[in-house]
Amino acid sequence: MEGTFHASSYIGYVYPNETIIPWTVMIVVYPYMTGLVAGAFSVSSMYHVFGMEKFKPVARFALLTALCFMLFVPMTLLLHLGQPQRAFNAMVTPHLTSAFAAFGYFAAFYTLLLMIETWFAFRADNVIRARNSTGLVRTFYRTITLWSDDISEKARAYDEKWMLSLAIIGIPAAHGLHGYVGFVFGSLKAREWWGSDMMPVIFLFSAVISGIAALIVLYTLVSKLRKTPIDEACVRGMAGALWGFLMFTVLLEGLEFANVVYKGKEGIEVIMEYVTGPLFYRYFVLQFGLGAIVPIIILGIMFMRATRGKAFIAGAVIASLLVLMNVFLMRWNVVIGGQEIAKTMRGLLHYHDPGGRDGLAVALTVLACPLVSLSIL
Amino acid sequence: MTCEKDIDRRGQTAQGDEDDGDARTGRRGFLKDVGKAVASIGALAASGTALLATKQTAQAAAEPGPPAIAGYDWNEHQWGYGIDATRCIGCLRCVEACKAENDVVPTAHHFRTWVERYVWLEGEERPHVDSHSDPDNVAASGSEKEYRFDNRYQGKKVYKAFFVPKICNHCRHPSCVQVCPTGATFKTKDGAVLIDHSYCIGCQYCVQACPYGARFFDPRTQVTEKCTWCYHRITKGLKPACVEVCPVNARIFGDLNNEASDISKFVTENRVQVLKPETGNAPTCFYVGLDKEVS
C-alpha cells in the first residue's frame, strides 16, 4: 500500500519532497483561532482590568467567545497530526529545544484560566437562574455553579477580585500563546517568507484586530437575535480600537514586505514572481486592499463625519467582516504562501486542498464549532 | 540486501528485538516503570510522578542511550559522507538502490536521496535545474518506480552541465532535531540523525525546518521519514546502499575518526564545501565540485 497523498503542481525547480505541502489549511485555521482568542480576551480585559466602562456590555460576552474558540484550538492540531493518539508525548516528554513543545502547557494553562474566569463571571447569574427554576434545570444550574449559592455583595466582590487577578494574568497568557504561534513561524530559518523577527509582532497585532472585529460582528448579531438594544457607545469604542490597531497592523505588514523586497537577498526573483503572480490577488487586492485599506477608509469617514445610529453600526459591521477576511487571508498567505515558495528559491508550488480530515471542509467545520458552542452557551 | 528499517532510539531494528532486557534501561522501560508506580500509589500521587517523569524523560530525549547492536560501540565512530559532484553521471542507481533497501514510498514524491541536473544553455545567464522527479523525466521513465533523466537538451547548445546528488546532511546542528516537540528525531553519538518512528507524532515541524528538503511524510505510516545513512548497514561494517552501488565513486562514506578512511581522505585531500552554510546547520555531508548556483 502506498498511502494517499496530494502532490502539488509547480513551476521552476523544487526539491522532490517539497511537492507534498506539509502544513495544510488546518494550520491556517489554528493561528486564526488563537488570534481570535487573544483579541477577544483583550476586549474583555479593557473592561475587567483597565476599567473602560464603555466595553462593559461586551466584556463577559468577549470572555465567553474567547473560551469557545480556545476549546477548539487543539482540534486543528490534532486533526493535522499523523499520529494524534501520541499528541501527549509532547507534554509527557517535551523536547525542550522545540518551539512547539510548550504549546500543550501554554494552551492547557490558558484554557483553565479562561474557564475559571468565565465561571466567576457568570456565577452570580447562574445562582439566580438556579433559584428561579425547578427540577432538572435547577439541578443543571446548581451543578455548573458548583453548588455555590451566595450572591451577597461580599461574595460578588470576591468574584470581582478573582476576575481581576485572572484577567491580569490572562493578558500575558493570551498574548503569549499567540505571539508564540508567530514565533513558531518567524523562527523557521528554512523559509524566507517566514523567517522574520517581525512575525510575532505582526501576529499579535492582527490577532487583536481579528478579535475586536469578531466581537463587533457577534455582538450586533446576538443583539439582533435576542432583540436587545445595541449599545452604540460600546460598538463605537470597539470600532475606534479596531481602526487604530488596523492602521498599525497594515503598517507593520507593509514594512515587513518592504524589508524583504528592499534587502533583495538571494531568491528575491522568485518572491517577486510569486507576489506579482499567484499571490497578487489574495495579497495586494484582497488582504491589503479590500481587507485593510477599505475598512480603514470606511471607519475613518464615519468617525470624521460623526456618523450615528444604524448607519454607524452597519458600517462598523461591514468593516469588521472585511477585517476578519483580511486576517484569515493574512494567515493563509503566511502559512500556505510560505510553503508555496520552494526552499530551492527556484520554484513555486501550487497548494491543493488535500480533502479528508486535513482539508478545507473539516477546517471550516472546526472554525464553525466555537460559534455553535457560543450560541448554545 | 536486507530490509531492516524502523531503527529506534537504541538502534534496534523492527525485526531484531533480540535484546529486550537492555531496552528496559531506555525511555520506554522507564515509562513502564513509571506506569506501574502510578497504578500502585494512586491518582493523587500521579501528578507528582508525572512531573518527575517529565523531567527525567526529557533528559532521556536529549541524550539517547547507546544502540543495542552486538559488537557496535557508537562512541568509536564519527560517520561522514562525501559527494564528488564532478564524478556523478546521473545514472540514478543510487536513488533506486535507496528506495529498494529502505522500502521508501515508491512514488516520484518521496526520496531519501535524489539527483539534480544543472544545465546552462548558450546565451542564458541562469541554469535550468531539474531532478528525476520532474514530470517529464517520470514520463520518460514510464514509471514512478524507475528513474532517469530525459533527453530534453538534445540538439540544444549546452555550454555547461553537471549533476549534484543530494541526501540528508546529517547536520551537526540539525534544525529538524531542534524543533521536534517530542524528541522523536535525534542526533546519535556517531553523527547520524535518526527518527524513532514509534514516538513521532507526525506534526511535520521537522519537514518545515529542514532547509534541504531532505525529510518527507510517509503516507503509509503517518510519520516522518528521512535518510539514515542506512544505519542498519553501517553499524555492521557495510556501506550505505547508495554508496555501494555508485559506479563512479561519486558518493563516499566512512569514519571521520579513522584517518585512513575514504571520507577522511576525501575531506583532507580536497577543499570541500557544504550546502547552505549560512543556516548554521553545519552539515557533515561534504561536497566537491559545487557551483554558485547549487543550493
Side-chain angles (χ1 to χ4, degrees), chain A residues 160-176:
Chain A
E160 290 291 328
K161 208 174 120 190
W162 264 93
M163 279 169 64
L164 176 67
S165 311
L166 289 168
I168 289 171
I169 304 168
I171 296 171
H175 294 88

Side-chain angles (χ1 to χ4, degrees), chain B residues 1-7 13 15 81 94-106 110-113 167 170 194 197 216 218 220-221 225-234 239-243 251:
Chain B
M1 285 190 211
T2 56
C3 193
E4 294 166 312
K5 21 178 232 93
D6 292 340
I7 298 156
T13 56
Q15 291 93 331
Y81 198 98
C94 48
V95 178
E96 289 177 7
C98 171
K99 285 251 182 180
E101 175 68 21
N102 296 297
D103 187 26
V104 180
V105 196
H110 305 84
F111 294 97
R112 289 183 175 203
T113 183
I167 193 168
H170 295 272
L194 302 180
H197 293 136
F216 59 88
D218 191 325
R220 304 167 302 184
T221 55
E225 263 287 354
K226 67 179 281 296
C227 160
T228 62
W229 274 341
C230 287
Y231 202 70
H232 58 287
R233 290 174 58 86
I234 61 172
K239 287 178 177 170
C242 53
V243 176
R251 290 172 181 256

Side-chain angles (χ1 to χ4, degrees), chain A residues 1-5 7-8 10 12-23 80-84 86-101 105 183-185 187-191 194 266 269 339 343-346 357-358, chain B residues 27 54 57-58 105-107 109-111 114 116 126-127 129-131 133-135 145 166 175 177-183 197-205 207-217 219-223 276 279 281 293 295:
Chain A
M1 202 194 84
E2 291 173 20
T4 53
F5 61 89
S8 298
Y10 62 90
Y13 176 63
V14 307
Y15 294 131
N17 293 332
E18 278 193 287
T19 49
I20 297 159
I21 290 184
W23 285 352
H80 178 70
L81 291 185
Q83 301 285 351
R86 295 181 192 158
F88 279 107
N89 285 8
M91 281 181 90
V92 180
T93 56
H95 186 230
L96 300 176
T97 62
S98 169
F100 220 84
Y105 297 113
F183 179 79
V184 165
F185 290 100
S187 62
L188 272 172
K189 58 191 172 187
R191 293 204 184 275
W194 288 350
E266 194 179 354
E269 294 92 344
Q339 300 176 90
K343 288 176 185 171
T344 56
M345 296 309 271
R346 284 182 183 281
R357 70 174 166 137
D358 217 4
Chain B
R27 183 173 60 195
T54 303
T57 46
V105 196
T107 73
H109 305 278
H110 305 84
F111 294 97
W114 67 94
E116 295 170 353
R126 301 202 67 188
V129 187
D130 66 334
S131 77
S133 80
D134 180 275
K145 296 172 188 179
K166 293 276 184 83
S175 41
V177 171
Q178 181 189 32
V179 303
C180 177
T182 62
H197 293 136
S198 66
Y199 215 68
C200 171
I201 61 174
C203 69
Q204 304 191 58
Y205 197 2
V207 180
Q208 300 287 11
C210 174
Y212 307 102
R215 287 173 168 252
F216 59 88
F217 188 68
R220 304 167 302 184
T221 55
Q222 296 282 303
V223 291
K276 299 187 180 179
T279 59
N281 275 29
E293 294 289 344
S295 63

Side-chain angles (χ1 to χ4, degrees), chain B residues 71 75 82 100 147 159 168 216 220 224 234 242 254 268 288:
Chain B
N75 295 308
Y147 306 102
Y159 77 89
C168 168
F216 59 88
R220 304 167 302 184
T224 303
I234 61 172
C242 53
T268 50
V288 160

Side-chain angles (χ1 to χ4, degrees), chain A residues 70-118:
Chain A
M70 191 60 215
L71 288 176
F72 290 93
V73 164
M75 185 72 87
T76 56
L77 295 176
L78 287 173
L79 281 165
H80 178 70
L81 291 185
Q83 301 285 351
Q85 78 283 7
R86 295 181 192 158
F88 279 107
N89 285 8
M91 281 181 90
V92 180
T93 56
H95 186 230
L96 300 176
T97 62
S98 169
F100 220 84
F103 171 78
Y105 297 113
F106 252 126
F109 170 76
Y110 181 64
T111 310
L112 195 67
L113 183 143
L114 262 178
M115 287 170 82
I116 299 172
E117 192 181 339
T118 313

